[in-house]
Amino acid sequence: MLKKIFLGLASAGLLAAPAWADPAPAREHMSHALTVTGKVATPLTLKVADLRQLPPANGGELAVTRHNGDKAETITSYRGVRLRDILDKAALDAPGHNDVKKLAIIATATDGYAVVFSWGELYNSPAGEGVIVYYEKNGKALDENDGEIGLISAKDIRTGPRHLKWLNAIEVRKLVE
Ligand SMILES: Nc1nc2c(c(=O)[nH]1)N[C@H]1C(S)=C(S)[C@@H](COP(=O)(O)O)O[C@H]1N2
Ligand SMILES: [Mo]
């Protein structure tokens, strides 16, 4: 009864909904495919089964820390594909000698959360090694709280901000002409 009143007020915009009354459960954010678009020779749509065909990248224990340093969770192990390998499959469209250096790679989730990488970071810095599109966590397929597809940047100082749940799009954009 109390819950009904809360939900009524919340949906009427009269009250901020409490966490337990979230009208959009995580399940609705589930990502079923990843698109790769923008400055690429071959745009792609990849499902988990397609990601499994690419060279696997595995990782061990990883603490997901928020920007303020609090720990969100500890992942025991994960399995996925390096973002670099996905971009190579789509082939970056950067014909000029200096074109790649002007590329930004934007990763977006179904809830609109988005983060940015650069070509230099992914291909020419230690960080690139740890940027992984993952589909398994702790030996299991990602559930509705993370998946079906996510992204982690394992070498970030705080790993929370560039840990994406429900990843569904990678866009390559040339930022400078
Ligand atoms: N899709 C999506 N991924 C996201 C977020 C989000 O709002 N949407 N929040 C990020 C932030 S700010 C952090 S710190 C980590 C951990 O957040 P959590 O505490 O909500 O799990 O997930 C990140 N991934
Ligand atoms: Mo965060």
Side-chain angles (χ1 to χ4, degrees), residues 76-121:
T76 307
S77 69
Y78 53 92
R79 183 181 184 82
V81 183
R82 263 187 204 100
L83 179 54
R84 233 160 39 192
D85 291 340
I86 294 174
L87 293 173
D88 287 346
K89 186 176 165 67
L92 296 172
D93 173 15
H97 176 63
N98 288 323
D99 283 350
V100 283
K101 299 150 199 169
K102 299 170 181 170
L103 297 180
I105 292 89
I106 303 163
T108 308
T110 55
D111 64 338
Y113 191 79
V115 302
V116 176
F117 296 92
S118 67
W119 175 86
E121 232 185 329

Side-chain angles (χ1 to χ4, degrees), residues 31 36 43 59 75 79 89 109 115 129 162 172 174:
S31 161
V36 184
I75 294 172
R79 183 181 184 82
K89 186 176 165 67
V115 302
E129 190 83 6
R162 294 204 290 189
V172 180
K174 192 176 173 200

Side-chain angles (χ1 to χ4, degrees), residues 5-37:
I5 294 168
F6 254 97
L7 285 170
L9 291 170
S11 64
L14 296 171
L15 199 72
W20 49 259
D22 186 353
R27 193 174 338 115
E28 290 177 16
H29 288 312
M30 211 52 174
S31 161
H32 304 292
L34 172 65
T35 60
V36 184
T37 62

Side-chain angles (χ1 to χ4, degrees), residues 29 64-68 70-73 108-115 145-146 149 151 158-167:
H29 288 312
V64 178
T65 42
R66 299 200 179 90
H67 190 64
N68 65 9
D70 287 353
K71 199 189 285 182
E73 68 172 313
T108 308
T110 55
D111 64 338
Y113 191 79
V115 302
N145 296 311
D146 294 303
I149 305 167
L151 180 141
R158 303 276 195 244
T159 48
R162 294 204 290 189
H163 166 249
L164 270 83
K165 313 163 195 184
W166 318 303
L167 175 73

